[in-house]
Amino acid sequence: MARATHILGILVAGLAGMLCLPWPVLAGPGNSGQSLQEINAGPAVPVAPYLSHLLAGQDQPLVGVEFPLVSRLKPGRLKAGLGPVLDSRWLTEPVFVIGSDEASIAWLTRHGEALRRLGASGVMLAAQDATAFKRVQQLANEHSLPIAHGPDRWLEERLLARNAGVLPVLILLDGHATQEPTP
């Protein structure tokens, strides 16, 4: 639980300024009645949907998640020679995108330790039901890897737009996608 709380703190601290909406703040403490100042943090990643289930353990219900999680990303091989799939300024750690399919499970089993050494976090975009989600979550937990569900289509759309519409995939800190993680 302490590791999950620590990871959640890192995610919140690292990505809080990158939400997809400006943050209105008061110009100073105790300045009620004064105008609000808007802070624009630049390019943004909608992170809030990914944070809500990082602490949901194997025995805890996935409140608010509707199954099946269906994705247009499909198991397959990543094309060689792709440029960056995400803007590297958006990433504070590598992110792996996975499903509950057998290819994703085999990939996570094979590369779990390398993903842990990289400090990667996971987003599951496809799962038939809560049992399938929890099975992959448990496997990720065995490697001390946080994993959350991806309820929106932001990440999926970016991967598809860059011809990287496969599962599983790892997005490195430079924004490039790979299926062969090496720490």
Side-chain angles (χ1 to χ4, degrees):
M1 182 67 170
R3 176 159 168 74
T5 304
H6 174 72
I7 291 168
L8 182 60
I10 290 170
L11 284 171
V12 170
L15 298 175
M18 299 166 102
L19 294 173
C20 280
L21 47 111
W23 286 72
V25 295
L26 290 174
N31 292 336
S32 60
Q34 292 187 0
S35 63
L36 293 177
Q37 181 181 24
E38 188 174 285
I39 299 173
N40 184 347
V45 174
V47 71
Y50 300 111
L51 298 178
S52 62
H53 295 281
L54 284 176
L55 299 178
Q58 184 69 13
D59 59 343
Q60 297 174 351
L62 292 167
V63 179
V65 182
E66 293 185 28
F67 290 99
L69 295 177
V70 179
S71 174
R72 292 186 291 156
L73 305 180
K74 301 298 176 205
R77 296 295 306 158
L78 189 65
K79 293 178 184 175
L82 296 178
V85 296
L86 291 179
D87 187 330
S88 63
R89 296 174 295 170
W90 295 344
L91 298 167
T92 60
E93 61 191 22
V95 175
F96 62 94
V97 182
I98 198 165
S100 63
D101 57 276
E102 292 305 316
S104 290
I105 291 170
W107 182 84
L108 182 56
T109 300
R110 189 170 52 256
H111 296 296
E113 282 305 306
L115 294 167
R116 183 191 58 74
R117 286 191 300 273
L118 287 168
S121 293
V123 176
M124 189 178 316
L125 293 183
Q128 209 38 38
D129 53 32
T131 302
F133 181 91
K134 291 291 190 174
R135 186 174 96 178
V136 176
Q137 186 181 45
Q138 178 61 36
L139 180 58
N141 286 342
E142 290 173 12
H143 297 288
S144 300
L145 296 168
I147 192 163
H149 72 87
D152 69 58
R153 297 294 169 221
W154 184 88
L155 184 56
E156 177 183 75
E157 293 296 330
R158 265 113 197 117
L159 290 170
L160 287 168
R162 301 286 193 221
N163 295 316
V166 298
L167 293 172
V169 65
L170 171 66
I171 305 166
L172 301 168
L173 286 173
D174 64 1
H176 286 82
T178 184
Q179 288 181 314
E180 300 299 325
T182 54

